[in-house]
Amino acid sequence: RPPRSTLFPYTTLFRSDEQIWYRSNRTMRLSVHDKNSGINNVDLSVNGVEVLEDKKGNALLKTEMAEAAIARNNDIEKYIFDANYFSSICGAAQDGKYVLAAQTTDNAGNAANIKAVYYMDEVSFQDRF
């Protein structure tokens, strides 16, 4: 079975077109679970730019690090990000759209892909008028 991955861009603003919009910085989490064989690799990108670590400096697990990860019981990996951190990696998106894509692989070679999209409204209310 492939690893179970969740990518949470949290929001309190819901639109009829189901787009997720933020007006200010928001926390986002990536969690990867695999109780059977453990996690081997976690790849994450924002707008096509590779993300190597979370905002606390924790490196995303890579295959070359898996041996050490197996020794520390790597059936779950958790990472914390925020919208400002992603903007600092890929730059401000012209249309405010940010696409997060994650691929995770377990030690048995099973892979899972997830994607999340959110938008940042970086124009202040006063600047609109």
Side-chain angles (χ1 to χ4, degrees), residues 35-50:
K35 290 185 178 182
N36 297 321
S37 67
I39 306 304
N40 182 275
N41 193 71
V42 177
D43 290 319
L44 177 65
S45 67
V46 57
N47 290 356
V49 179
E50 184 178 18

Side-chain angles (χ1 to χ4, degrees), residues 104-126:
T104 58
T105 309
D106 67 12
N107 288 315
N110 301 307
N113 296 296
I114 56 173
K115 181 175 153 182
V117 178
Y118 71 92
Y119 295 81
M120 278 300 288
D121 185 356
E122 298 177 9
V123 179
S124 72
F125 183 76
Q126 286 100 358

Side-chain angles (χ1 to χ4, degrees), residues 2-121:
R4 189 175 78 225
S5 304
T6 52
L7 184 59
F8 295 106
Y10 295 105
T11 186
T12 56
L13 178 60
F14 296 96
R15 295 170 35 129
S16 61
D17 59 6
E18 298 183 12
Q19 290 181 349
I20 298 172
W21 281 84
Y22 298 133
R23 291 187 183 167
S24 61
N25 195 27
R26 292 288 189 264
T27 298
M28 299 173 206
R29 291 175 172 78
L30 172 62
S31 297
V32 184
H33 307 266
D34 190 307
K35 290 185 178 182
N36 297 321
S37 67
I39 306 304
N40 182 275
N41 193 71
V42 177
D43 290 319
L44 177 65
S45 67
V46 57
N47 290 356
V49 179
E50 184 178 18
V51 178
L52 299 175
E53 60 187 23
D54 72 3
K55 74 175 197 170
K56 294 183 176 184
N58 299 316
L60 274 64
L61 184 65
K62 300 296 176 194
T63 301
E64 56 271 10
M65 299 166 24
E67 283 296 318
I70 290 169
R72 66 173 171 74
N73 187 18
N74 70 328
D75 63 341
I76 185 168
E77 294 289 326
K78 294 182 179 183
Y79 305 98
I80 297 175
F81 307 94
D82 62 39
N84 289 347
Y85 181 74
F86 286 137
S87 294
S88 73
I89 291 172
C90 70
Q94 186 78 19
D95 57 0
K97 182 178 181 179
Y98 293 86
V99 178
L100 306 175
Q103 180 178 28
T104 58
T105 309
D106 67 12
N107 288 315
N110 301 307
N113 296 296
I114 56 173
K115 181 175 153 182
V117 178
Y118 71 92
Y119 295 81
M120 278 300 288
D121 185 356

